[in-house]
Amino acid sequence: MGDGTGKDGVIRMDEAINEIEGYLLWAAEKDRARTRADAFCAGLPWLTESQRQEVVRHYCRDQREISRVYLERIAVRSAGLRTEYESVYLALRKRLVAAFLGASAAAVVLLTVAIGLPRP
């Protein structure tokens, strides 16, 4: 079941949302690259239309590659942070449970002692 599907073969909602978000993020990166390429070419008025199209194509390809590498680096770092935060959370949770159990045991002992004391 490591493919992200449930018992009935349906993709889990959070994974589907992540897929959509990733698609939209990549579409925005492609649009941003195209906008920057057009702005770059606007500063080169002597280019012919075919030269301009070639420059835009190369510029977009380079920008997408830079964005892909950058996003992959972010994904790796995010996974590392998630692992680190999960381990810190588990350690804090264990400490909290231990403190709660210790306080509960102390309360039981105090109540036992208080109930067992003779009354004047």
Side-chain angles (χ1 to χ4, degrees), residues 29-60:
E29 283 296 314
K30 290 187 336 186
D31 288 343
R32 187 181 65 80
R34 178 64 186 217
T35 300
R36 291 190 64 187
D38 288 338
F40 179 76
C41 286
L44 306 172
W46 57 85
L47 293 176
T48 64
E49 185 58 31
S50 63
Q51 290 172 330
R52 183 188 166 294
Q53 289 174 357
E54 188 69 15
V55 169
V56 166
R57 189 174 62 78
H58 283 291
Y59 192 98
C60 287

Side-chain angles (χ1 to χ4, degrees), residues 14-106:
D14 58 342
E15 291 177 356
I17 290 171
N18 285 341
E19 282 289 319
I20 293 168
E21 186 178 27
Y23 173 80
L24 292 174
L25 177 63
W26 189 245
E29 283 296 314
K30 290 187 336 186
D31 288 343
R32 187 181 65 80
R34 178 64 186 217
T35 300
R36 291 190 64 187
D38 288 338
F40 179 76
C41 286
L44 306 172
W46 57 85
L47 293 176
T48 64
E49 185 58 31
S50 63
Q51 290 172 330
R52 183 188 166 294
Q53 289 174 357
E54 188 69 15
V55 169
V56 166
R57 189 174 62 78
H58 283 291
Y59 192 98
C60 287
R61 187 184 66 227
D62 288 346
Q63 285 297 306
R64 285 192 306 262
E65 181 62 22
I66 290 167
S67 295
R68 185 188 61 76
V69 169
Y70 183 67
L71 291 173
E72 286 175 354
R73 196 171 4 149
I74 289 172
V76 168
R77 179 67 177 140
S78 295
L81 286 174
R82 180 184 179 118
T83 301
E84 181 181 336
Y85 290 154
E86 284 176 348
S87 66
V88 168
Y89 170 77
L90 287 175
L92 289 173
R93 187 171 154 188
K94 287 178 184 178
R95 286 175 41 193
L96 180 62
V97 168
F100 176 75
L101 291 176
S104 296

